[in-house]
Amino acid sequence: MPEIPQAVKAFGVTFKAMFRKPATVQYPEQPAKIAPRFHGRHQLNRHPDGLEKCVGCELCAWACPADAIYVEGAANTDEERFSPGERYGRVYQINYLRCIFCGLCIEACPTRALTMTHEFELADDDRTELIYEKPDLLAPLLPGMVGPPHPMVEGADERDYYDGRVTGASAEQMAAAKATQQEESTA
Ligand code: SF4
Ligand code: SF4
């Protein structure tokens, strides 16, 4: 049997490829498909009343193999409370020039304060912009939340927060947060 010329074989490959579904992704015009467990930008989560889940324990920073996290904890006071526990994360930075998105930090976090979102568009032409500060990482305030500092829900303790018995900000918390905002605006 005569051998099929190489050129004809090559056209055969091209012909078959014409009927295959294109693999081209029209990004950024169309959103990219992200796997459910994709590790993107980090997020510092809040309790349902707006208080922060981070307690400034630094376990995430110790777990990071790339030394990309810097945390400074501070004590909550009755006048200025950011989280339900004794302490909160006063300074929180993630250096995305170092981060390798391994997720070890979120595994180490004892309060589920730190999780990773699906956001991956982090490129920048300024290196300093890739060091994310706490305000860049904090979860947005959802309906029913008020931004700290403000007291815990009346009668609730730290345990109630972690057991899910706090479901949103109370009227007293809203009034306290409003008073703090007014004080700041008149100062
Ligand atoms: S994802 Fe990995 S490299 Fe990035 S901050 Fe967390 S522990 Fe460090
Ligand atoms: S994010 Fe979690 S592990 Fe890191 S300091 Fe806050 S509470 Fe601790």
Side-chain angles (χ1 to χ4, degrees):
M1 189 176 153
E3 200 176 314
I4 303 171
Q6 290 297 321
V8 176
K9 272 192 195 169
F11 277 122
V13 173
T14 308
F15 187 73
K16 269 197 270 175
M18 284 169 63
F19 298 100
R20 281 203 204 117
K21 201 169 163 230
T24 314
V25 177
Q26 300 299 330
Y27 175 83
E29 285 76 20
Q30 290 172 11
K33 274 192 189 153
I34 308 285
R37 296 185 66 186
F38 178 82
H39 284 170
R41 179 183 66 77
H42 298 73
Q43 177 168 280
L44 284 172
N45 297 307
R46 296 175 185 275
H47 288 285
D49 64 352
L51 285 178
E52 296 162 12
K53 288 189 174 180
C54 178
V55 295
C57 67
E58 301 181 29
L59 285 176
C60 50
W62 284 101
C64 177
D67 200 13
I69 302 184
Y70 178 72
V71 185
E72 260 181 44
N76 286 304
T77 61
D78 288 341
E79 297 75 40
E80 209 176 40
R81 170 171 293 285
F82 291 88
S83 73
E86 280 177 31
R87 291 170 68 75
Y88 72 101
R90 191 179 67 80
V91 176
Y92 199 101
Q93 292 177 341
I94 296 186
N95 184 342
Y96 283 107
L97 296 164
R98 284 175 166 261
C99 178
I100 53 170
F101 298 90
C102 64
L104 289 178
C105 50
I106 63 170
E107 299 295 334
C109 180
T111 62
R112 294 293 287 159
L114 189 64
T115 52
M116 293 173 95
T117 65
H118 284 175
E119 189 184 330
F120 61 88
E121 291 166 320
L122 301 173
D124 210 297
D125 56 9
D126 182 347
R127 290 171 70 83
T128 58
E129 295 294 321
L130 287 164
I131 299 174
Y132 279 46
E133 302 283 346
K134 185 175 164 185
D136 304 319
L137 298 165
L138 263 178
L141 289 167
L142 298 177
M145 293 180 175
V146 280
H150 60 70
M152 286 193 272
V153 168
E154 317 72 64
D157 62 15
E158 200 181 343
R159 189 77 257 165
D160 292 318
Y161 277 82
Y162 290 107
D163 287 347
R165 284 190 284 275
V166 172
T167 54
S170 64
E172 285 83 355
Q173 284 178 308
M174 289 188 186
K178 200 169 171 189
T180 308
Q181 280 167 8
Q182 277 170 352
E183 270 172 34
E184 282 171 0
S185 61
T186 53

